[in-house]
Every structure is written in structure tokens, then in C-alpha cells.
């Protein structure tokens, strides 16, 4: 349920509404908007009646939120959530690019790639130190050593670091290094982990599970949001279908659907989505056309030698060419590609 009040409502009236919500065993969430102040209600809202609130002073409207997810829905907040890193924003009119290798492999590798990315104006760098691999015998990441290299990259190149959190044990180390914590497809439904990252304020990149519906993705975001962390970026990374000619089926339908139903930024990962490097640029442009707020791309200086996901990684040169096309395409969908001019 959602209570709408005017922006200049006196504090005592807002508090009266919030106290009423608490007295009915529910939780109030103040959501200031551009034209109205909204107070979202979560908890056992089925038991609430509109009449519980409509008579309270300064209440203009009481709306029932019909979706299963509440706080992340457009009904609760009509304005886009914008996540801002020193002027580099996710959401609204910005189009952001996160790029980097699947895994941190060595200091030389990560420094060489960071250097090329910086030359292209990339501000957000991805690289996994802890890798979730289908085979226990495959490269599992450099772990703590990998995080150390990422910290050095951050100092040397001023990159904003995106790296994956696999489990509770590595949370303190990830919190020290990551500027954006990636929750991978395999952990999208690890609800205890979602609640834990929800207790921190660090932005979360939440990737869609490979067999998860859009509604399930939004409900996972709701776990993080309702635990207190409102800095969530969603990511479409392809789903499992009957199709075998590509690694996954990139569900670009999810982008306009999520844009309609949620205020959270949604970015696309065409690398995992299609899984074949020479088709990544086409799907990147398709994602931009669909209205994505950004892309996360796997980029490797020597894809054929990569320790994970080399086959879907593009080179820094291919990235440069792709960025030129994205720059031209973005205005058609009212977006602006934001690159770091300070190279
Ligand atoms: C990755 O980004 O390298 C990764 C493992 O992604 P996903 O969780 O989408 O498979
Ligand atoms: Mn990968």
C-alpha cells in the first residue's frame, strides 16, 4: 500500500501516518518524489484497509500496490533511481559502460587491460577475484590476491571497481575493494546473502538468474531494498532456453518490461547473454536500442589465453569501435554515453 501526501506536509502529519502504520504491524518507508511525498508500506499489508489512512490529516490518496514486489516498483516511486559515482550515473538519461576481463588473472594482465580501458574513457572496471565455475577443476579466481591487484588498479587508474561476492565469508574483503558488489546469476536467489548485502550501503549489481523470471529478479532486488540498501542496479545476462546455438538467450524483452514496472536502473551483459565474442557488438547495440541504462562487457587483451570466458571476450580495440557506434545510437533512445574525459 502507498500513502500519497503533498511535498510540504508538516512533519507531525507524516509521523502520524508512520505511527499508524507501525501500530498495524507494518513498516513505513518514506519515498520523497518530485511532485509528491510517498509513504510505502511493507509487511502484512493484506490486512490493511484504505480507511485506516484516508481520514488522517494531509493524506491525499491511498493506493494499493498490486505487484508482489513493492519498494522497487514504479508504483512506489515514479522517478528513476539514479546511482551516482562522482557525476557518473546509472539511471535516468545516462548510458554507462562497465568493462573488463571475466577474471583477474595476474597483475600484468589486469594492469594492461585497465590501461587500454582508461584510454577509451572507461570509468567502471569489472573483474572477478572469486569465480563461480561450473567445474570444480576450472580456474576459481586469484581470490584475496586478485582483490589486492584490483585495489592497486583503483589507485593507479582511478577506476570504479565491480567485483563478484560469492559468499558470506568473503564479504569483509569484498567490501574493502569493491565499489559495486556484483551478485552473480547463481546467487540471485541466495536470499540470506541478499539480506546481508542489504545491510550495507554499497551499490549492488544484481544479475538475473539463468532460470529466473523478471518478477523473481525484482523480488530479489526487493530483498536488498527492504533490508535497507536502495542502491541496486539490475542486470539482464541471458537465460536458459531450448536454443543451443548460443550460450544463453539474451532476453532483451526484460529491459522495457523492467523499465515500466521498476524505477531501478537495468543494464545488459551481452557477453554472457550470447557467449560468442563476434556477436557481442550486435547485441550490445540491440541492448542500447531496447533502452538499457548501461552495458557490462567482458574485455580481454588476449582472449585466446583467458583463464575464463575468453570465447565471449572482445579486445580493447573492438571495444573502442563499439563505443563509437554506441555514441551515435544513444541519442535515438534519449540516452547519453558517458565516458571519462579525464584520460
Ligand atoms: C561474470 O560476470 O563473470 C559471471 C560469472 O556472470 P553470471 O553470474 O551472469 O554468470
Ligand atoms: Mn564471465
Amino acid at each position: 500500500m502507498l500513502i500519497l501526501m503533498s511535498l510540504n506536509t508538516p512533519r507531525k502529519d507524516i509521523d502520524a501516518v508512520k505511527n499508524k502504520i507501525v501500530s498495524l504491524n507494518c513498516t513505513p518507508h518514506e519515498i520523497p518524489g518530485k511532485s509528491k511525498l510517498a509513504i510505502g508500506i511493507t509487511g502484512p499489508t493484506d490486512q490493511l484497509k484504505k480507511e485506516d489512512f484516508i481520514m488522517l490529516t494531509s493524506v491525499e490518496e491511498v493506493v494499493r500496490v498490486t505487484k508482489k514486489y513493492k519498494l522497487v516498483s514504479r508504483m512506489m516511486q515514479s522517478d528513476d533511481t539514479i546511482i551516482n559515482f562522482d557525476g557518473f550515473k546509472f539511471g535516468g538519461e545516462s548510458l554507462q559502460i562497465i568493462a573488463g576481463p571475466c577474471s583477474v588473472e595476474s597483475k600484468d594482465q589486469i594492469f594492461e587491460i585497465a590501461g587500454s580501458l582508461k584510454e577509451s574513457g572507461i570509468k567502471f572496471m569489472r573483474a572477478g577475484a572469486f569465480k563461480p565455475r561450473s567445474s570444480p577443476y576450472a580456474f576459481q579466481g586469484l581470490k584475496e590476491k586478485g582483490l589486492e591487484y584490483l585495489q592497486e588498479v583503483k589507485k593507479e587508474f582511478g577506476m570504479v571497481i565491480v567485483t563478484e561476492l560469492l559468499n558470506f565469508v568473503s564479504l569483509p574483503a569484498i567490501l574493502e575493494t569493491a565499489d559495486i558488489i556484483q551478485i552473480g546469476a547463481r546467487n540471485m536467489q541466495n536470499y540470506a546473502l541478499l539480506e546481508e548485502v542489504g545491510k550495507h550501503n554499497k551499490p549492488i549489481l544484481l544479475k538475473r538468474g539463468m532460470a529466473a523470471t523478471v518478477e523473481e529478479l525484482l523480488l530479489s532486488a526487493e530483498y536488498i531494498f527492504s533490508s535497507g540498501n536502495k542502491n541496486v542496479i539490475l542486470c539482464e545476462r541471458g537465460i536458459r532456453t531450448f536454443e543451443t546455438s548460443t550460450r544463453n538467450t539474451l532476453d532483451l524483452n526484460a529491459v522495457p518490461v523492467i523499465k515500466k514496472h521498476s524505477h531501478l536502473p537495468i543494464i545488459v551483459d551481452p557477453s554472457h547473454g550470447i557467449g560468442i565474442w563476434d556477436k557481442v557488438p550486435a547485441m550490445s547495440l540491440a541492448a542500447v536500442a531496447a533502452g538499457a541504462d548501461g552495458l557490462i562487457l567482458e574485455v580481454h587483451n588476449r582472449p585466446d589465453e583467458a583463464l575464463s570466458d575468453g570465447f565471449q571476450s572482445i579486445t580493447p580495440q573492438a571495444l573502442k569501435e563499439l563505443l563509437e557506434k554506441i555514441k551515435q545510437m544513444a541519442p535515438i533512445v534519449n540516452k547519453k554515453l558517458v565516458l571519462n574525459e579525464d584520460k
Side-chain angles (χ1 to χ4, degrees):
M1 198 173 262
L2 187 62
I3 314 285
L4 297 174
M5 307 176 90
S6 81
L7 279 181
N8 52 15
T9 302
R11 178 46 51 186
K12 68 171 180 21
D13 294 352
I14 300 172
D15 288 343
V17 169
K18 289 169 90 173
N19 291 338
K20 177 80 183 177
I21 295 168
V22 172
S23 77
L24 294 166
N25 299 319
C26 289
T27 311
H29 305 264
E30 234 177 278
I31 311 163
K34 281 198 192 111
S35 57
K36 288 269 176 273
L37 167 75
I39 300 179
I41 311 177
T42 56
T45 53
D46 288 351
Q47 298 156 24
L48 303 181
K49 295 187 293 297
K50 284 190 177 183
E51 299 77 65
D52 292 331
F53 301 98
I54 201 72
M55 302 298 280
L56 298 180
T57 316
S58 304
V59 170
E60 292 184 355
E61 215 183 327
V62 180
V63 182
R64 198 165 273 289
V65 179
T66 45
K67 301 277 185 226
K68 281 195 204 157
Y69 47 88
K70 310 286 177 191
L71 301 173
V72 304
S73 79
R74 273 270 180 223
M75 281 182 90
M76 283 278 188
Q77 180 185 314
S78 56
D79 302 332
D80 284 352
T81 282
I82 294 182
I83 301 177
N84 191 348
F85 296 83
D86 284 337
F88 293 84
K89 298 172 186 161
F90 285 87
E93 289 181 354
S94 308
L95 180 66
Q96 286 300 343
I97 309 291
I98 302 171
C102 181
S103 309
V104 186
E105 299 170 4
S106 68
K107 185 168 171 177
D108 284 353
Q109 173 246 19
I110 202 78
F111 268 62
E112 196 179 320
I113 297 173
S116 318
L117 294 179
K118 185 151 190 193
E119 257 178 51
S120 287
I122 298 294
K123 181 76 179 166
F124 296 87
M125 185 167 186
R126 62 146 295 145
F130 295 89
K131 293 304 302 179
R133 304 304 302 279
S134 302
S135 163
Y137 308 117
F139 175 60
Q140 303 285 314
L142 294 184
K143 304 182 178 169
E144 285 78 8
K145 195 82 205 156
L147 293 181
E148 243 174 67
Y149 295 152
L150 286 175
Q151 291 200 11
E152 290 180 36
V153 158
K154 188 171 3 184
K155 266 199 212 119
E156 181 79 21
F157 300 93
M159 293 286 187
V160 177
I161 300 292
V162 184
T163 197
E164 181 165 354
L165 171 72
L166 275 192
N167 51 38
F168 278 70
V169 184
S170 49
L171 181 59
I174 293 282
L175 279 168
E176 256 179 58
T177 306
D179 300 297
I180 300 179
I181 299 177
Q182 178 174 326
I183 299 288
R186 291 155 190 82
N187 264 324
M188 189 208 86
Q189 285 172 307
N190 183 343
Y191 301 118
L193 195 63
L194 300 179
E195 283 178 338
E196 195 57 34
V197 295
K199 293 179 192 156
H200 300 270
N201 242 345
K202 202 151 267 200
I204 307 296
L205 175 64
L206 178 64
K207 299 188 86 176
R208 179 179 180 182
M210 55 191 87
T213 62
V214 165
E215 184 179 71
E216 286 164 341
L217 171 63
L218 291 171
L219 283 166
S220 289
E222 185 86 11
Y223 265 95
I224 301 173
F225 227 81
S226 60
S227 305
N229 189 345
K230 298 180 168 54
N231 302 308
V232 182
I233 302 164
L234 303 169
C235 179
E236 162 58 42
R237 48 77 72 203
I239 50 173
R240 286 259 168 99
T241 66
F242 53 82
E243 182 53 68
T244 53
S245 61
T246 53
R247 182 178 181 184
N248 289 295
T249 298
L250 186 60
D251 179 18
L252 289 180
N253 297 350
V255 175
V257 171
I258 287 173
K259 281 265 151 223
K260 176 165 166 58
H261 295 300
S262 176
H263 51 82
L264 292 177
I266 161 95
I267 69 166
V268 172
D269 175 349
S271 309
H272 290 84
I274 193 156
I276 312 165
W277 65 274
D278 63 340
K279 292 160 188 72
V280 167
M283 296 316 288
S284 301
L285 293 173
V288 173
D293 294 304
L295 300 173
I296 178 165
L297 293 160
E298 285 189 334
V299 178
H300 201 288
N301 48 346
R302 279 179 278 282
D304 50 336
E305 290 172 22
L307 298 181
S308 61
D309 286 349
F311 196 66
Q312 65 192 35
S313 300
I314 59 171
T315 60
Q317 180 55 33
L319 174 69
K320 219 179 244 178
E321 290 161 21
L322 175 59
L323 291 175
E324 279 311 310
K325 292 186 185 160
I326 293 175
K327 208 181 282 174
Q328 291 177 43
M329 191 156 171
I332 299 174
V333 285
N334 299 320
K335 289 277 191 188
K336 190 174 184 305
L337 176 64
V338 185
L339 292 173
N340 188 8
E341 300 306 330
D342 164 37
K343 294 175 199 169

